[in-house]
mmCIF file of all heavy atoms in Angstrom:
data_model
loop_
_atom_site.group_PDB
_atom_site.id
_atom_site.type_symbol
_atom_site.label_atom_id
_atom_site.label_comp_id
_atom_site.label_asym_id
_atom_site.label_seq_id
_atom_site.Cartn_x
_atom_site.Cartn_y
_atom_site.Cartn_z
ATOM 1 N N ALA A 33 -26.484 6.752 -2.616
ATOM 2 C CA ALA A 33 -27.120 7.618 -1.658
ATOM 3 C C ALA A 33 -28.397 7.038 -1.142
ATOM 4 O O ALA A 33 -28.714 7.146 0.082
ATOM 5 C CB ALA A 33 -27.386 9.003 -2.349
ATOM 6 N N ALA A 34 -29.144 6.365 -2.007
ATOM 7 C CA ALA A 34 -30.428 5.757 -1.574
ATOM 8 C C ALA A 34 -30.131 4.634 -0.573
ATOM 9 O O ALA A 34 -30.875 4.426 0.431
ATOM 10 C CB ALA A 34 -31.170 5.168 -2.800
ATOM 11 N N LEU A 35 -29.111 3.850 -0.796
ATOM 12 C CA LEU A 35 -28.740 2.768 0.131
ATOM 13 C C LEU A 35 -28.331 3.322 1.464
ATOM 14 O O LEU A 35 -28.580 2.771 2.529
ATOM 15 C CB LEU A 35 -27.659 1.892 -0.471
ATOM 16 C CG LEU A 35 -28.073 1.010 -1.660
ATOM 17 C CD1 LEU A 35 -26.864 0.372 -2.306
ATOM 18 C CD2 LEU A 35 -29.059 -0.040 -1.221
ATOM 19 N N VAL A 36 -27.590 4.439 1.458
ATOM 20 C CA VAL A 36 -27.125 5.045 2.721
ATOM 21 C C VAL A 36 -28.312 5.496 3.552
ATOM 22 O O VAL A 36 -28.338 5.406 4.801
ATOM 23 C CB VAL A 36 -26.142 6.217 2.420
ATOM 24 C CG1 VAL A 36 -25.919 7.002 3.687
ATOM 25 C CG2 VAL A 36 -24.840 5.716 1.851
ATOM 26 N N THR A 37 -29.351 6.006 2.909
ATOM 27 C CA THR A 37 -30.503 6.467 3.665
ATOM 28 C C THR A 37 -31.229 5.329 4.339
ATOM 29 O O THR A 37 -31.986 5.524 5.342
ATOM 30 C CB THR A 37 -31.513 7.196 2.734
ATOM 31 O OG1 THR A 37 -32.006 6.276 1.752
ATOM 32 C CG2 THR A 37 -30.862 8.383 2.071
ATOM 33 N N ARG A 38 -31.045 4.104 3.859
ATOM 34 C CA ARG A 38 -31.705 2.951 4.462
ATOM 35 C C ARG A 38 -30.880 2.318 5.606
ATOM 36 O O ARG A 38 -31.337 1.396 6.261
ATOM 37 C CB ARG A 38 -31.940 1.869 3.392
ATOM 38 C CG ARG A 38 -32.923 2.286 2.315
ATOM 39 C CD ARG A 38 -33.001 1.256 1.217
ATOM 40 N NE ARG A 38 -33.475 -0.004 1.751
ATOM 41 C CZ ARG A 38 -34.730 -0.370 1.930
ATOM 42 N NH1 ARG A 38 -35.685 0.483 1.631
ATOM 43 N NH2 ARG A 38 -35.066 -1.556 2.412
ATOM 44 N N ALA A 39 -29.693 2.843 5.797
ATOM 45 C CA ALA A 39 -28.840 2.300 6.860
ATOM 46 C C ALA A 39 -29.451 2.677 8.205
ATOM 47 O O ALA A 39 -29.784 3.822 8.459
ATOM 48 C CB ALA A 39 -27.410 2.846 6.723
ATOM 49 N N GLY A 40 -29.530 1.717 9.118
ATOM 50 C CA GLY A 40 -30.109 1.950 10.392
ATOM 51 C C GLY A 40 -29.111 2.593 11.356
ATOM 52 O O GLY A 40 -27.861 2.531 11.129
ATOM 53 N N HIS A 41 -29.583 3.175 12.383
ATOM 54 C CA HIS A 41 -28.764 3.812 13.399
ATOM 55 C C HIS A 41 -28.979 3.129 14.718
ATOM 56 O O HIS A 41 -30.095 3.062 15.188
ATOM 57 C CB HIS A 41 -29.027 5.296 13.543
ATOM 58 C CG HIS A 41 -28.242 5.981 14.653
ATOM 59 N ND1 HIS A 41 -26.861 6.193 14.524
ATOM 60 C CD2 HIS A 41 -28.638 6.457 15.841
ATOM 61 C CE1 HIS A 41 -26.490 6.770 15.612
ATOM 62 N NE2 HIS A 41 -27.514 6.935 16.440
ATOM 63 N N HIS A 42 -27.944 2.635 15.306
ATOM 64 C CA HIS A 42 -27.993 1.925 16.614
ATOM 65 C C HIS A 42 -27.317 2.774 17.621
ATOM 66 O O HIS A 42 -26.167 3.094 17.517
ATOM 67 C CB HIS A 42 -27.383 0.543 16.500
ATOM 68 C CG HIS A 42 -28.036 -0.359 15.492
ATOM 69 N ND1 HIS A 42 -29.231 -1.009 15.716
ATOM 70 C CD2 HIS A 42 -27.700 -0.655 14.227
ATOM 71 C CE1 HIS A 42 -29.554 -1.708 14.651
ATOM 72 N NE2 HIS A 42 -28.630 -1.526 13.718
ATOM 73 N N ALA A 43 -28.061 3.072 18.688
ATOM 74 C CA ALA A 43 -27.472 3.914 19.740
ATOM 75 C C ALA A 43 -26.346 3.144 20.457
ATOM 76 O O ALA A 43 -26.527 1.959 20.774
ATOM 77 C CB ALA A 43 -28.485 4.320 20.777
ATOM 78 N N ALA A 44 -25.226 3.756 20.636
ATOM 79 C CA ALA A 44 -24.122 3.093 21.307
ATOM 80 C C ALA A 44 -24.402 3.049 22.802
ATOM 81 O O ALA A 44 -25.256 3.746 23.341
ATOM 82 C CB ALA A 44 -22.816 3.897 21.020
ATOM 83 N N GLY A 45 -23.661 2.188 23.459
ATOM 84 C CA GLY A 45 -23.754 2.054 24.900
ATOM 85 C C GLY A 45 -23.130 3.224 25.634
ATOM 86 O O GLY A 45 -23.040 4.331 25.111
ATOM 87 N N ALA A 46 -22.663 2.976 26.784
ATOM 88 C CA ALA A 46 -22.051 4.011 27.583
ATOM 89 C C ALA A 46 -20.803 4.528 26.868
ATOM 90 O O ALA A 46 -19.889 3.808 26.492
ATOM 91 C CB ALA A 46 -21.682 3.513 28.956
ATOM 92 N N ARG A 47 -20.792 5.812 26.576
ATOM 93 C CA ARG A 47 -19.698 6.411 25.852
ATOM 94 C C ARG A 47 -18.535 6.738 26.777
ATOM 95 O O ARG A 47 -18.750 7.202 27.884
ATOM 96 C CB ARG A 47 -20.135 7.695 25.119
ATOM 97 C CG ARG A 47 -21.188 7.433 24.003
ATOM 98 C CD ARG A 47 -21.619 8.738 23.341
ATOM 99 N NE ARG A 47 -22.541 8.479 22.278
ATOM 100 C CZ ARG A 47 -22.170 8.331 21.015
ATOM 101 N NH1 ARG A 47 -20.871 8.333 20.709
ATOM 102 N NH2 ARG A 47 -23.044 8.116 20.070
ATOM 103 N N GLN A 48 -17.370 6.505 26.304
ATOM 104 C CA GLN A 48 -16.188 6.880 27.071
ATOM 105 C C GLN A 48 -16.009 8.387 26.927
ATOM 106 O O GLN A 48 -16.289 9.009 25.933
ATOM 107 C CB GLN A 48 -14.947 6.179 26.505
ATOM 108 C CG GLN A 48 -14.987 4.666 26.650
ATOM 109 C CD GLN A 48 -14.911 4.229 28.037
ATOM 110 O OE1 GLN A 48 -14.352 4.941 28.917
ATOM 111 N NE2 GLN A 48 -15.545 3.036 28.340
ATOM 112 N N PRO A 49 -15.495 9.032 27.973
ATOM 113 C CA PRO A 49 -15.302 10.464 27.878
ATOM 114 C C PRO A 49 -14.245 10.761 26.833
ATOM 115 O O PRO A 49 -13.250 9.993 26.646
ATOM 116 C CB PRO A 49 -14.744 10.833 29.320
ATOM 117 C CG PRO A 49 -14.257 9.558 29.866
ATOM 118 C CD PRO A 49 -15.093 8.463 29.276
ATOM 119 N N PRO A 50 -14.411 11.847 26.085
ATOM 120 C CA PRO A 50 -13.451 12.178 25.033
ATOM 121 C C PRO A 50 -12.072 12.454 25.609
ATOM 122 O O PRO A 50 -11.946 12.973 26.720
ATOM 123 C CB PRO A 50 -14.050 13.437 24.407
ATOM 124 C CG PRO A 50 -14.879 14.025 25.439
ATOM 125 C CD PRO A 50 -15.450 12.858 26.258
ATOM 126 N N PRO A 51 -11.027 12.093 24.928
ATOM 127 C CA PRO A 51 -9.684 12.340 25.393
ATOM 128 C C PRO A 51 -9.394 13.822 25.443
ATOM 129 O O PRO A 51 -10.034 14.576 24.714
ATOM 130 C CB PRO A 51 -8.806 11.658 24.386
ATOM 131 C CG PRO A 51 -9.598 11.601 23.171
ATOM 132 C CD PRO A 51 -11.033 11.457 23.573
ATOM 133 N N PRO A 52 -8.532 14.252 26.347
ATOM 134 C CA PRO A 52 -8.222 15.702 26.393
ATOM 135 C C PRO A 52 -7.662 16.180 25.084
ATOM 136 O O PRO A 52 -6.936 15.462 24.418
ATOM 137 C CB PRO A 52 -7.185 15.774 27.568
ATOM 138 C CG PRO A 52 -6.607 14.392 27.691
ATOM 139 C CD PRO A 52 -7.741 13.476 27.290
ATOM 140 N N GLU A 53 -8.049 17.378 24.701
ATOM 141 C CA GLU A 53 -7.552 17.924 23.429
ATOM 142 C C GLU A 53 -6.068 18.178 23.518
ATOM 143 O O GLU A 53 -5.505 18.635 24.506
ATOM 144 C CB GLU A 53 -8.311 19.211 23.149
ATOM 145 C CG GLU A 53 -9.770 19.020 22.834
ATOM 146 C CD GLU A 53 -10.453 20.276 22.397
ATOM 147 O OE1 GLU A 53 -9.738 21.305 22.230
ATOM 148 O OE2 GLU A 53 -11.673 20.288 22.198
ATOM 149 N N ARG A 54 -5.390 17.916 22.411
ATOM 150 C CA ARG A 54 -3.960 18.151 22.279
ATOM 151 C C ARG A 54 -3.717 19.015 21.105
ATOM 152 O O ARG A 54 -4.441 18.962 20.121
ATOM 153 C CB ARG A 54 -3.180 16.831 22.182
ATOM 154 C CG ARG A 54 -3.309 15.929 23.380
ATOM 155 C CD ARG A 54 -2.447 14.726 23.230
ATOM 156 N NE ARG A 54 -1.017 15.069 23.109
ATOM 157 C CZ ARG A 54 -0.048 14.222 22.974
ATOM 158 N NH1 ARG A 54 -0.329 12.909 22.918
ATOM 159 N NH2 ARG A 54 1.197 14.600 22.815
ATOM 160 N N HIS A 55 -2.654 19.752 21.162
ATOM 161 C CA HIS A 55 -2.327 20.592 20.024
ATOM 162 C C HIS A 55 -1.874 19.697 18.839
ATOM 163 O O HIS A 55 -1.171 18.709 19.083
ATOM 164 C CB HIS A 55 -1.193 21.553 20.428
ATOM 165 C CG HIS A 55 -0.965 22.676 19.420
ATOM 166 N ND1 HIS A 55 -0.229 22.469 18.278
ATOM 167 C CD2 HIS A 55 -1.449 23.929 19.383
ATOM 168 C CE1 HIS A 55 -0.258 23.596 17.588
ATOM 169 N NE2 HIS A 55 -0.953 24.519 18.223
ATOM 170 N N PRO A 56 -2.272 20.012 17.635
ATOM 171 C CA PRO A 56 -1.873 19.127 16.517
ATOM 172 C C PRO A 56 -0.375 18.918 16.409
ATOM 173 O O PRO A 56 0.054 17.852 16.030
ATOM 174 C CB PRO A 56 -2.442 19.908 15.308
ATOM 175 C CG PRO A 56 -3.585 20.670 15.853
ATOM 176 C CD PRO A 56 -3.204 21.088 17.229
ATOM 177 N N ALA A 57 0.416 19.965 16.687
ATOM 178 C CA ALA A 57 1.840 19.837 16.613
ATOM 179 C C ALA A 57 2.346 18.792 17.600
ATOM 180 O O ALA A 57 3.291 18.041 17.286
ATOM 181 C CB ALA A 57 2.497 21.168 16.834
ATOM 182 N N ALA A 58 1.732 18.714 18.765
ATOM 183 C CA ALA A 58 2.160 17.739 19.759
ATOM 184 C C ALA A 58 1.892 16.353 19.284
ATOM 185 O O ALA A 58 2.673 15.382 19.454
ATOM 186 C CB ALA A 58 1.486 17.998 21.092
ATOM 187 N N GLY A 59 0.668 16.140 18.642
ATOM 188 C CA GLY A 59 0.406 14.875 18.101
ATOM 189 C C GLY A 59 1.313 14.439 16.996
ATOM 190 O O GLY A 59 1.706 13.276 16.865
ATOM 191 N N LEU A 60 1.693 15.421 16.156
ATOM 192 C CA LEU A 60 2.647 15.135 15.057
ATOM 193 C C LEU A 60 3.987 14.707 15.614
ATOM 194 O O LEU A 60 4.610 13.755 15.165
ATOM 195 C CB LEU A 60 2.786 16.362 14.193
ATOM 196 C CG LEU A 60 3.822 16.233 13.034
ATOM 197 C CD1 LEU A 60 3.433 15.175 12.078
ATOM 198 C CD2 LEU A 60 3.958 17.588 12.294
ATOM 199 N N ARG A 61 4.439 15.372 16.655
ATOM 200 C CA ARG A 61 5.740 15.051 17.240
ATOM 201 C C ARG A 61 5.664 13.660 17.869
ATOM 202 O O ARG A 61 6.639 12.902 17.752
ATOM 203 C CB ARG A 61 6.143 16.119 18.308
ATOM 204 C CG ARG A 61 6.560 17.440 17.707
ATOM 205 C CD ARG A 61 7.268 18.333 18.798
ATOM 206 N NE ARG A 61 6.314 18.624 19.890
ATOM 207 C CZ ARG A 61 5.542 19.703 19.891
ATOM 208 N NH1 ARG A 61 5.579 20.546 18.871
ATOM 209 N NH2 ARG A 61 4.751 19.966 20.921
ATOM 210 N N ALA A 62 4.563 13.299 18.509
ATOM 211 C CA ALA A 62 4.426 11.981 19.069
ATOM 212 C C ALA A 62 4.483 10.901 18.046
ATOM 213 O O ALA A 62 5.122 9.869 18.215
ATOM 214 C CB ALA A 62 3.108 11.908 19.869
ATOM 215 N N GLY A 63 3.814 11.135 16.927
ATOM 216 C CA GLY A 63 3.857 10.136 15.854
ATOM 217 C C GLY A 63 5.276 9.969 15.215
ATOM 218 O O GLY A 63 5.702 8.915 14.943
ATOM 219 N N LEU A 64 5.918 11.145 15.034
ATOM 220 C CA LEU A 64 7.305 11.116 14.488
ATOM 221 C C LEU A 64 8.257 10.383 15.443
ATOM 222 O O LEU A 64 9.141 9.631 15.003
ATOM 223 C CB LEU A 64 7.758 12.518 14.192
ATOM 224 C CG LEU A 64 7.082 13.262 13.004
ATOM 225 C CD1 LEU A 64 7.564 14.714 12.980
ATOM 226 C CD2 LEU A 64 7.406 12.544 11.691
ATOM 227 N N ARG A 65 8.085 10.613 16.776
ATOM 228 C CA ARG A 65 8.937 9.945 17.714
ATOM 229 C C ARG A 65 8.710 8.427 17.634
ATOM 230 O O ARG A 65 9.685 7.609 17.723
ATOM 231 C CB ARG A 65 8.657 10.449 19.119
ATOM 232 C CG ARG A 65 9.299 11.790 19.432
ATOM 233 C CD ARG A 65 9.306 12.021 20.944
ATOM 234 N NE ARG A 65 7.955 12.064 21.516
ATOM 235 C CZ ARG A 65 7.193 13.140 21.582
ATOM 236 N NH1 ARG A 65 7.688 14.310 21.207
ATOM 237 N NH2 ARG A 65 6.011 13.131 22.134
ATOM 238 N N GLN A 66 7.475 7.989 17.487
ATOM 239 C CA GLN A 66 7.176 6.579 17.427
ATOM 240 C C GLN A 66 7.813 5.978 16.155
ATOM 241 O O GLN A 66 8.418 4.905 16.261
ATOM 242 C CB GLN A 66 5.644 6.367 17.420
ATOM 243 C CG GLN A 66 5.192 4.941 17.203
ATOM 244 C CD GLN A 66 5.213 4.159 18.542
ATOM 245 O OE1 GLN A 66 5.756 4.636 19.501
ATOM 246 N NE2 GLN A 66 4.614 2.992 18.483
ATOM 247 N N VAL A 67 7.654 6.629 15.027
ATOM 248 C CA VAL A 67 8.281 6.137 13.824
ATOM 249 C C VAL A 67 9.824 6.085 13.897
ATOM 250 O O VAL A 67 10.455 5.112 13.513
ATOM 251 C CB VAL A 67 7.890 6.962 12.621
ATOM 252 C CG1 VAL A 67 8.631 6.553 11.351
ATOM 253 C CG2 VAL A 67 6.366 6.847 12.365
ATOM 254 N N ALA A 68 10.415 7.089 14.511
ATOM 255 C CA ALA A 68 11.875 7.156 14.650
ATOM 256 C C ALA A 68 12.401 6.079 15.610
ATOM 257 O O ALA A 68 13.491 5.597 15.430
ATOM 258 C CB ALA A 68 12.302 8.535 15.114
ATOM 259 N N ARG A 69 11.565 5.665 16.585
ATOM 260 C CA ARG A 69 12.021 4.788 17.612
ATOM 261 C C ARG A 69 11.918 3.320 17.189
ATOM 262 O O ARG A 69 12.692 2.483 17.677
ATOM 263 C CB ARG A 69 11.221 4.988 18.875
ATOM 264 C CG ARG A 69 11.733 4.221 20.115
ATOM 265 C CD ARG A 69 11.115 4.678 21.356
ATOM 266 N NE ARG A 69 9.661 4.491 21.396
ATOM 267 C CZ ARG A 69 8.797 5.478 21.514
ATOM 268 N NH1 ARG A 69 9.175 6.727 21.572
ATOM 269 N NH2 ARG A 69 7.495 5.188 21.538
#
Side-chain angles (χ1 to χ4, degrees):
L35 291 172
V36 170
T37 62
R38 295 175 60 86
H41 175 71
H42 300 280
R47 294 179 177 270
Q48 297 293 332
E53 293 186 3
R54 297 184 60 179
H55 194 277
L60 176 61
R61 288 194 297 270
L64 289 173
R65 283 196 299 268
Q66 176 82 348
V67 173
R69 188 168 63 241

